[in-house]
Amino acid sequence: MDGMDYRESMEKYPERKARTLRFTCGAPRSARVVGDGSRALFLRSDGPEDLVTSLWMSILSGDGRHREVLLADPRKLLADADGERVSPQERARRERAREGGRGIVSYDSDVSGDRVVFVLDGHPFMADIGSDLAATVTDLSRDAGDASDATAESSLPSPVAALRISPDGRHALYSTGRELVVIDVDENGSVLGRSVVVALSQDAPDTMVLGLPEFVAGEEMDRYDGFWWSPDSRRVLVETFDSSPEPVWYLSDPTDPDVPAVPRRYPRALTRNARVGLSLLDLTTDFSGRCRVSASKDVTWDDEGFEYLAAVSWIGAHDPVLLVQNRRQNKDLVLDVHPDGSTTVLERHANPQWLDLIAGTPAMTPDGRLVCALNDMDADTNRLTVDGRAFTPVGWQVRRVLDVTDEDVLAVVQRTPDLAPDVPSAWRNHADGHDARSLDVVRIDYEGNLFPVTVEPGVWTASRRGRGMVVSGRDMASAMSTMTHVLAGCGPDSSERKTASDAMRNRTAAEPERRVTTDVRAAIGNAAETPGFTPTTRFVRLGAHGLIAAITRPGADSRFAGASRLPVLMRPYGGPGFQQAVLSQSYHWDSQWWADQGFLVVTADGRGTTGRGPRWDREIAGRMKDVTLADQVEAVKALPDVAPEADLGRVAIIGWSYGGYLSALAVLDAPDVFRAACAGAPPVDWTLYDTHYTERYLGLDPETYRRNGLLDDAPGLRRPLMIIHGFADDNVTIAHSLRLSRALMAAGRPHVFLPLTGITHMTNDPDVARSLLVLQRDFLYEALGMDGPTVSAGGSAKPGVAVR
């Protein structure tokens, strides 16, 4: 970025975006506050193009002194950190979590934060943090005698996946998929021994997996764990699943015909799911510190009626709590797991359409109260309950629970202004921004009093423990993400609190909100690059549904600045449950690049997106196709009221995944509105997508799937369409695009198809990611009859003329 002017930054944007993993390399991430709150773990690579992340610790004292300590550097632990070996299980986890980095990309710590474990090059490592806050890093797969011999082969069962340390820091546990292996360590961090604590039987089929989550858990439920330590380190809850009921699919690389196709099980909609079970293991530790299983009990529940294991929570001295869902996801049970493996139903929930999963719920408070999520349809609010009583205010949509204490919950929320017109005084200068576009961190006590943690509207999250908190996120004011470590001395006296509504209504503009005055805070360093430009994005409401839309125009230094007429480029959201028109610059960098290519760029979040209440979400039930397309059409037709330069005779649409589906749908079913489309990895046949996502919205009637698919519409194509798909995509398989292309060919409809070899759903290859932007742009230029700069995939520019 240094020395680049605006136009050079814009020209080099596709390449720099690819090299920097969307400008995230070098930025701190994955923060976890540990101990008393004065320390926090986080990950960060060394620079803006460094993909190899290291483990760091932030240390903040009460007098405001702050330092960052490097705990573990992969380049010092491995001979070739950039070429580390990654097991198939870990590669699958990274794909599910959309993880594009290398090195230490995840970690786990004991409750004190003194020991941290992670996996590198297929080996388990532990960072033991001493009283001087320096770390001794040990390869747990090697004995002391061969620790310095990088060529020594380990006899440890492999692969090493899902490494987790016990809360007391004395045992590290991991899964090979067939075995659960424990590594015992002493108080000095030395390995006492390694052993298999539980394993599948030798005659168990290869479809059986122990200690890892099934596909839909990671892809759709954001559950990446397959076993859970008890808080006292004396028990472990372990998942086993059998994927044999799922259909077998085959993925291959057509560029290498010598390599056979790889079979895998995939939970295709309207077919059977993997069978999931749980076992509760009792552990004993002998006089030498070695751990073994003393008893194993199967956990029992109605797993035929409630086949999805959606969430597991184990807090304090309480039994573990499970959330299980039925196949349609319109009923769930919250279960208490007893020491003998039996379960008791604590709560039952139901919804005519579906029940949302709210991360962090259900959870027990330390004093034994149950916190659950509630889709309150009457109040049109996603709320929280404590022991069955709703306590979060109406109009504050809870998106995620970050921490639960006896006093309050720490949560990410989005405000619905019509239902919650009053805001805390800390937000008064930004009140208009705190709506569905902003994901705010707040504390909410069990009387419904709400206390903001973040002030600026943006996309935020946090980690909290003891007196400490780390707040992370982005906003529209800065291109850089921020991570701030905060240490609080004390909070406001509870006797002075009023209800949230009374406090907001009665506080005058001049009266400051009561805030902690003894906080100290420090920014954690960020070495990421920025694009070198600021999006011109402005937000509006469009159409009868008041669609929240982000409109991005060419920058002041663009040759298209101030154009009286501009073709329109729609960039729709990623589908139900997601948003794109939010208050974070990073969501709109691509839009600015497109705008400077000569487009008026519009992202409109239609019905089905989150943040506007459960009724809005459920407008799409059974009719995703009709509703989501109608909203994009509504947005286009409303543009002249807010953007008179919009040329509605030249409207194009691009998107990836669900956005790709919408793009293909637009030119197939609304050709009078949309003149061209680029559809990336589109799920065009919903019977080929997974059960948990698809059946939530479309149910179990095959006719509903036919109506919401695109294959029957293929003969109607009369607009230019580019289809893009990766052969290695194991989420939206390339079969979707191949079937659409076949249907188009059968109907004699010309189209462009870009098959990407070796590319998954993430499209992380830098060369491919860079080229795709340019190729799509040039395709749309031709399709819309535009003249513009012809820039090759390599980035060389040729003179062009303004959009005609």
Side-chain angles (χ1 to χ4, degrees):
M1 185 182 70
D2 292 344
M4 290 188 193
D5 62 18
Y6 178 87
R7 293 193 179 188
E8 188 177 5
S9 296
M10 193 61 66
E11 179 184 329
K12 293 185 178 296
Y13 173 76
E15 180 181 356
R16 293 176 59 239
K17 174 192 172 187
R19 289 202 321 262
T20 61
L21 279 185
R22 303 171 185 86
F23 300 95
T24 61
C25 294
R29 64 183 181 90
S30 306
R32 178 188 293 189
V33 181
V34 294
D36 64 357
S38 63
R39 295 177 295 143
L41 302 164
F42 66 95
L43 301 177
R44 184 177 61 205
S45 66
D46 288 345
E49 296 185 19
D50 183 13
L51 274 62
V52 179
T53 52
S54 300
L55 177 67
W56 291 78
M57 175 173 279
S58 169
I59 304 163
L60 180 62
S61 62
D63 60 5
R65 289 177 296 172
H66 178 250
R67 60 189 175 116
E68 297 171 10
V69 176
L70 176 61
L71 300 179
D73 184 347
R75 292 194 169 94
K76 295 181 179 178
L77 300 172
L78 301 178
D80 181 12
D82 295 276
E84 65 167 316
R85 294 168 296 180
V86 179
S87 69
Q89 291 86 346
E90 173 62 10
R91 189 176 297 112
R93 186 200 68 81
R94 293 185 186 188
E95 182 71 21
R96 303 285 73 77
R98 306 299 189 260
E99 171 61 64
R102 301 172 190 161
I104 305 172
V105 298
S106 64
Y107 63 88
D108 189 41
S109 72
D110 64 0
V111 70
S112 68
D114 293 332
R115 287 180 170 173
V116 188
V117 294
F118 52 89
V119 178
L120 268 181
D121 204 41
H123 290 233
F125 285 84
M126 182 177 74
D128 197 356
I129 304 167
S131 58
D132 59 353
L133 298 179
T136 301
V137 181
T138 303
D139 183 343
L140 298 177
S141 68
R142 303 187 189 279
D143 294 320
D146 64 19
S148 62
D149 184 359
T151 65
E153 288 297 324
S154 168
S155 60
L156 200 67
S158 61
V160 178
L163 182 65
R164 300 288 184 268
I165 193 167
S166 60
D168 65 6
R170 298 301 296 272
H171 315 283
L173 201 61
Y174 72 88
S175 172
T176 68
R178 305 285 293 180
E179 303 158 312
L180 210 59
V181 181
V182 67
I183 305 171
D184 305 301
V185 294
D186 65 14
E187 64 273 10
N188 298 316
S190 299
V191 175
L192 296 171
R194 314 172 186 89
S195 59
V196 175
V197 293
V198 64
L200 298 175
S201 63
Q202 290 188 349
D203 60 353
D206 59 8
T207 55
M208 294 284 292
V209 177
L210 173 72
L212 298 174
E214 72 278 18
F215 176 87
V216 293
E219 184 63 41
E220 306 300 353
M221 304 180 200
D222 292 334
R223 177 172 68 78
Y224 306 109
D225 288 324
F227 64 85
W228 300 263
W229 281 102
S230 66
D232 62 5
S233 304
R234 296 179 179 178
R235 291 184 291 169
V236 176
L237 193 63
V238 184
E239 173 183 348
T240 303
F241 71 85
D242 180 4
S243 61
S244 62
E246 298 173 344
V248 179
W249 282 7
Y250 298 87
L251 296 180
S252 64
D253 182 357
T255 65
D256 194 351
D258 290 335
V259 177
V262 178
R264 56 157 297 198
R265 301 278 175 171
Y266 184 84
R268 172 180 174 177
L270 304 181
T271 66
R272 297 177 64 192
N273 276 310
R275 291 190 294 265
V276 176
L278 288 174
S279 298
L280 187 61
L281 309 181
D282 292 338
L283 306 178
T284 58
T285 303
D286 63 23
F287 68 93
S288 68
R290 299 292 301 276
C291 178
R292 64 179 179 86
V293 174
S294 58
S296 174
K297 286 89 63 175
D298 290 337
V299 177
T300 58
W301 77 89
D302 177 13
D303 56 354
E304 290 190 2
F306 294 86
E307 62 187 83
Y308 289 123
L309 175 64
V312 177
S313 176
W314 208 339
I315 296 176
H318 308 293
D319 291 334
V321 173
L322 313 179
L323 179 67
V324 294
Q325 294 180 312
N326 68 340
R327 179 66 178 257
R328 279 286 290 109
Q329 303 167 60
N330 56 10
K331 295 179 181 179
D332 70 28
L333 303 177
V334 180
L335 304 175
D336 182 39
V337 181
H338 304 304
D340 64 357
S342 63
T343 56
T344 299
V345 177
L346 299 177
E347 286 190 18
R348 301 174 184 265
H349 308 123
N351 186 282
Q353 285 82 36
W354 65 81
L355 291 159
D356 291 308
L357 295 180
I358 303 298
T361 65
M364 281 284 188
T365 63
D367 62 11
R369 290 172 290 169
L370 179 64
V371 175
C372 289
L374 169 67
N375 295 138
D376 189 338
M377 302 302 292
D378 292 334
D380 196 16
T381 305
N382 292 313
R383 307 177 72 184
L384 297 177
T385 63
V386 58
D387 286 342
R389 174 183 64 84
F391 70 92
T392 55
V394 170
W396 296 85
Q397 313 293 342
V398 177
R399 291 294 307 277
R400 177 180 292 267
V401 172
L402 304 169
D403 186 37
V404 175
T405 69
D406 290 338
E407 289 74 36
D408 61 23
V409 296
L410 186 71
V412 176
V413 300
Q414 291 170 287
R415 169 175 162 261
T416 303
D418 291 346
L419 301 175
D422 298 318
V423 298
S425 61
W427 287 3
R428 286 188 178 170
N429 292 334
H430 317 280
D432 292 343
H434 290 285
D435 55 21
R437 299 169 297 163
S438 184
L439 286 87
D440 299 296
V441 178
V442 300
R443 294 188 302 107
I444 309 176
D445 69 18
Y446 298 108
E447 299 305 315
N449 301 306
L450 185 145
F451 304 93
V453 171
T454 55
V455 175
E456 297 287 339
V459 179
W460 306 105
T461 190
S463 172
R464 178 177 72 170
R465 186 172 183 86
R467 296 185 300 121
M469 187 183 301
V470 170
V471 180
S472 310
R474 294 179 180 272
D475 58 23
M476 291 296 291
S478 173
M480 296 285 277
S481 64
T482 62
M483 181 178 284
T484 305
H485 191 173
V486 183
L487 193 61
C490 60
D493 185 81
S494 58
S495 65
E496 297 178 346
R497 295 179 182 173
K498 304 176 181 180
T499 65
S501 58
D502 286 345
M504 293 174 192
R505 185 165 45 247
N506 297 334
R507 188 179 296 120
T508 66
E511 180 186 357
E513 184 181 12
R514 293 185 181 94
R515 302 181 68 183
V516 176
T517 58
T518 56
D519 288 2
V520 294
R521 61 189 63 228
I524 294 174
N526 189 333
E529 273 191 358
T530 61
F533 56 81
T534 300
T536 63
T537 306
R538 297 293 180 266
F539 294 87
V540 297
R541 293 290 188 120
L542 296 176
H545 289 96
L547 305 172
I548 296 176
I551 297 181
T552 306
R553 293 175 166 88
D557 292 324
S558 165
R559 65 194 186 87
F560 298 105
S564 60
R565 299 291 285 172
L566 285 172
V568 176
L569 180 65
M570 302 296 291
R571 296 188 65 238
Y573 59 98
F578 294 90
Q579 292 174 265
Q580 187 71 21
V582 297
L583 293 169
S584 167
Q585 276 197 26
S586 63
Y587 278 71
H588 310 290
W589 288 334
D590 272 13
S591 292
Q592 189 62 58
W593 183 85
W594 279 104
D596 276 44
Q597 310 309 305
F599 294 93
L600 180 75
V601 184
V602 181
T603 294
D605 284 347
R607 286 169 287 176
T609 53
T610 47
R612 295 186 63 174
R615 297 179 194 167
W616 178 266
D617 296 347
R618 286 158 179 75
E619 287 282 332
I620 63 168
R623 54 193 192 119
M624 290 195 305
K625 179 180 180 179
D626 297 338
V627 171
T628 55
L629 177 58
D631 286 349
Q632 296 303 303
V633 171
E634 181 177 314
V636 170
K637 293 185 175 180
L639 277 176
D641 293 336
V642 294
E645 73 270 37
D647 183 352
L648 300 195
R650 291 187 294 174
V651 179
I653 182 169
I654 62 171
W656 195 265
S657 198
Y658 193 93
Y661 164 78
L662 256 180
S663 298
L665 171 61
V667 289
L668 288 170
D669 286 17
D672 55 326
V673 177
F674 299 95
R675 290 277 302 273
C678 296
V684 302
D685 180 353
W686 289 107
T687 66
L688 295 178
Y689 201 57
D690 72 56
T691 51
H692 194 269
Y693 178 94
T694 316
E695 293 171 2
R696 182 188 318 146
Y697 305 119
L698 297 183
L700 300 173
D701 182 359
E703 175 58 23
T704 304
Y705 285 71
R706 187 195 64 78
R707 287 199 314 268
N708 284 275
L710 302 185
L711 299 182
D712 288 351
D713 302 343
L717 181 67
R718 64 176 190 267
R719 297 297 190 191
L721 171 63
M722 172 185 281
I723 304 169
I724 309 163
H725 218 126
F727 272 103
D729 193 333
D730 69 349
N731 178 25
V732 183
T733 174
I734 197 171
H736 287 272
S737 288
L738 290 172
R739 290 189 179 188
L740 177 58
S741 181
R742 180 177 62 187
L744 292 169
M745 288 289 290
R749 302 301 179 186
H751 58 284
V752 175
F753 192 0
L754 297 182
L756 310 175
T757 59
I759 298 300
T760 68
H761 203 60
M762 290 196 294
T763 321
N764 268 345
D765 182 274
D767 292 330
V768 172
R770 179 190 64 222
S771 298
L772 278 180
L773 276 177
V774 176
L775 291 172
Q776 290 178 85
R777 182 205 59 192
D778 291 347
F779 173 81
L780 295 181
Y781 274 3
E782 182 176 356
L784 297 181
M786 299 168 59
D787 291 329
T790 301
V791 179
S792 69
S796 60
K798 299 178 182 179
V801 296
V803 175
R804 64 169 181 253

